[in-house]
Amino acid sequence: MSIPIENSIAGTQVAKPVNASRLFVASCLALLVTSLTFALRAKIEGVFHDSYGLTREEIGWAFGPAFWGFAVATFLGGAIIDQVKTRNVLRIAFVCHLVGLVVLLFAKDKTLLFAANVFIGFANGSVEAACNPLVTTLFPDDKTKMLNRFHVWFPGGIVVGGILSWLLVSQLNLPWQALAMVLFVPLALYGWLFFGETVPETERVTSGVSYRDMFRNTGAPCTIIALVGFMILATSVPIAIDFGATSTWVVLALVLVAIVVESLVVNKTSLLFPFMVFCMFLTASTELGTNQFTGALLDKTGIDPLIVLVVVTGIMALGRYFAGPLVHRLSTVGVLLVSAIISAIGLYLYSTAGGTGATLFAAIVFAVGVCYFWPTMLGFVSEYLSKTGALGLSVLGGAGMVGTSFVLPIMGHSIDTAGPQQTLRFMTVLPVILIVAFALLALYLKNRRGAGTH
C-alpha cells in the first residue's frame, strides 16, 4: 500500500509514494523491541534479586526509568515531532535502544541498571511518540483497529521474549545476557526499514490544526506536565508520600483545581482529555505494574511465572489483533468499561488463587480484562479528541508509563512487607475506580450526542 505525497525537488512538485505497509511493519518491529525489553526485565528481576542482592524496592527504583524515561520521551516527542520530523524521532529511538542495551549487558548493580533503563525508557517512549501518530496518519479510516493491531506487538513481543527466555536461559543454561543480545536483531531490522523510507507528516499537520490549538485542546497541558514531572521526581529520587496524610490530599485537591481552571477558564475547553489522562494512570498501572512483577507476585503459587506471563500476553496479542469487530459492536467506551470489570475480577482471582489451575484461570481472566486498555485509550483520544494531535497521543502514553513507574516501588515495598496476595488485593482497587470512571464517561458521551455535539 502506498500513499502519494507531494515533495518539492528543484522547485517542482513531484509525487513521492509513502510505503504504508513497510512503515507499518517497521513500526511493529520497533514496538517489538520495546516489548522485548519488558520481557527481559521480567526475567532479570529475579536475577538481580537472587544473584546480585538487590531488594525488590531497589529493583522497582532501578526499573523506574524504563517508565518515566518513556514518559519524558513521549511528552517531548509529541510536542516537537512536527518540528523535528517523525523520521528523526525514530532515529533517536534507534540510538537510545542501542546504547541502553549495551549498558544493560554490563549492569550488575542498581546504578548501571538504572542508567540502562534511562536510555531504554527514552527509546521506548520515542517509538511510541513517533509510531502512534504515524499509524493514525497511515490508516485514517481505521484508527482504533490499526492501533490495536500495531499494539499486538507489545504483548506479542513479551510472548516471544518469554519463549526465548525459557529456551536460552532455562533450557540451554545461557546467561541472561544472551537473551539481551537477541534484541539487537529486531533493532537492526526496524532501523533498516525506517531509514530507507519517506515518513509522512502527522495527521495534525495534514488536517490544518495549528500548533497552538493542539496544545489548547489537551485542556491543561501545563498542569499535566507539572504533575507528571513531580511523579518522575518522586520515582527517580524517592520522596516519602503518605497517602494517609492530610497534606497529600490537599496537594491533590489543588492539582484538580489547577486542571479545572486551566482547562475551563484559561483554554476554554473541556475536561475530557485530563480525565482520560487520569484513567490512563490507572489502566497502565493495572496492566504493566502487575505484569512487571509477575515473578514475585506468583512466586509461591506452584506455577512457573513465565508460563503465566506467556499465557497473559498471548491472549492479549490475539485479542488486539481481532479487536475491530468488538470495537464496532461495543463502541470504544464500551470496550473500556467491560475491560475494567473483567480486570477487577481477574486481579481478585489472582489474589485468592492457591494452585496451578486457579492461577491459570485467573491469568486468563486478567489477560482478557487488560487486553484492550492501552490501544483503545489511544484510539479514543484519536477519535474523540483528534485536535490534540500527536501531543495528545504522546501525553496519554507518557502518563501511562509514568503512572506505572510511580506504582512499581509501591508494589515492590508491598510485596516485601505485606506479601503478594495482599499486594494483588491492593491493585484490585485500580480497575474498580475505572469501572466508575468509564461508566461516567459513557453517560457523558450519551448526553453529548443527545445535545448534538461530538
Side-chain angles (χ1 to χ4, degrees):
M1 177 181 175
S2 295
I3 301 173
I5 63 168
E6 295 300 314
N7 189 29
S8 178
I9 299 179
T12 61
Q13 294 292 321
V14 297
K16 188 175 182 181
V18 171
N19 191 332
S21 298
R22 178 171 170 139
L23 289 177
F24 185 72
V25 170
S27 298
C28 292
L29 284 170
L31 190 61
L32 174 63
V33 175
T34 294
S35 64
L36 285 172
T37 65
F38 279 78
L40 179 61
R41 277 194 301 275
K43 182 63 180 177
I44 67 175
E45 177 257 320
V47 175
F48 276 81
H49 177 68
D50 299 332
S51 301
Y52 300 155
L54 272 65
T55 67
R56 305 285 186 193
E57 189 171 0
E58 286 175 327
I59 292 169
W61 174 79
F63 281 179
F67 298 91
W68 62 250
F70 182 108
V72 170
T74 52
F75 274 54
L76 184 62
I80 67 173
I81 193 169
D82 295 321
Q83 282 69 43
V84 302
K85 305 301 178 185
T86 304
R87 64 180 179 274
N88 290 322
V89 176
L90 291 167
R91 287 170 180 162
I92 291 170
F94 178 84
V95 171
C96 287
H97 266 145
L98 182 62
V99 173
L101 289 172
V102 170
V103 173
L104 183 63
L105 288 172
F106 295 95
K108 290 185 179 178
D109 57 41
K110 66 179 183 180
T111 303
L112 273 184
L113 184 60
F114 181 93
N117 279 309
V118 170
F119 283 101
I120 290 172
F122 200 85
N124 293 346
S126 298
V127 168
E128 190 88 2
C131 293
N132 281 322
L134 178 59
V135 170
T136 61
T137 300
L138 295 174
F139 306 100
D141 298 326
D142 287 301
K143 293 178 182 179
T144 300
K145 173 185 172 182
M146 295 309 293
L147 280 169
N148 268 280
R149 288 199 174 179
F150 166 55
H151 282 278
V152 161
W153 292 98
F154 189 84
I158 294 177
V159 171
V160 172
I163 294 171
L164 287 172
S165 174
W166 171 80
L167 177 63
L168 297 177
V169 180
S170 301
Q171 298 301 307
L172 299 180
N173 294 317
L174 296 175
W176 65 266
Q177 287 89 344
L179 180 61
M181 291 292 291
V182 173
L183 275 67
F184 288 96
V185 176
L187 174 61
L189 284 174
Y190 94 69
W192 172 67
L193 287 171
F194 269 131
F195 298 160
E197 287 297 309
T198 298
V199 181
E201 297 278 11
T202 64
E203 187 181 28
R204 194 273 300 176
V205 173
T206 57
S207 63
V209 177
S210 71
Y211 192 73
R212 180 179 180 182
D213 279 345
M214 179 179 72
F215 270 87
R216 189 181 67 83
N217 278 283
T218 59
C222 295
T223 307
I224 291 172
I225 291 171
L227 173 62
V228 169
F230 171 78
M231 294 174 71
I232 291 172
L233 178 65
T235 54
S236 56
V237 182
I239 296 173
I241 298 176
D242 183 4
F243 288 101
T246 303
S247 58
T248 300
W249 293 101
V250 169
V251 170
L252 289 175
L254 290 173
V255 169
L256 289 175
V257 170
I259 288 173
V260 171
V261 170
E262 188 178 359
S263 295
L264 301 183
V265 179
V266 178
N267 290 324
K268 295 181 172 60
T269 187
S270 76
L271 293 169
L272 185 55
F273 185 81
F275 176 82
M276 295 307 293
V277 169
F278 165 75
C279 291
M280 194 65 167
F281 283 143
L282 304 185
T283 58
S285 297
T286 300
E287 174 192 343
L288 300 178
T290 305
N291 284 342
Q292 202 65 58
F293 269 124
T294 298
L297 290 169
L298 304 179
D299 188 39
K300 298 179 180 179
T301 59
I303 186 171
D304 188 343
L306 181 61
I307 294 175
V308 174
L309 187 63
V310 169
V311 168
V312 168
T313 51
I315 291 172
M316 289 173 65
L318 286 173
R320 287 179 180 180
Y321 186 81
F322 296 105
L326 184 64
V327 172
H328 286 302
R329 179 177 291 271
L330 291 180
S331 80
T332 306
V333 181
V335 170
L336 290 171
L337 178 57
V338 171
S339 295
I341 294 170
I342 298 175
S343 297
I345 296 171
L347 276 176
Y348 177 77
L349 291 174
Y350 253 152
S351 72
T352 58
T356 301
T359 302
L360 269 178
F361 178 71
I364 291 169
V365 175
F366 175 74
V368 172
V370 299
C371 173
Y372 302 107
F373 269 156
W374 190 281
T376 306
M377 289 288 289
L378 294 172
F380 178 91
V381 168
S382 184
E383 290 177 10
Y384 288 88
L385 295 160
S386 59
K387 290 183 179 180
T388 60
L391 180 66
L393 294 174
S394 296
V395 167
L396 201 69
M401 284 298 180
V402 80
T404 305
S405 72
F406 191 77
V407 83
L408 276 177
I410 298 173
M411 287 184 68
H413 178 74
S414 178
I415 293 169
D416 285 337
T417 56
Q421 287 190 316
Q422 188 60 41
T423 301
L424 286 164
R425 290 192 187 100
F426 156 72
M427 292 296 290
T428 305
V429 174
L430 304 186
V432 169
I433 296 172
L434 286 167
I435 293 171
V436 177
F438 290 139
L440 291 173
L441 178 61
L443 183 62
Y444 166 77
L445 292 178
K446 181 180 179 181
N447 292 336
R448 196 167 77 163
R449 281 193 297 270
T453 59
H454 180 72

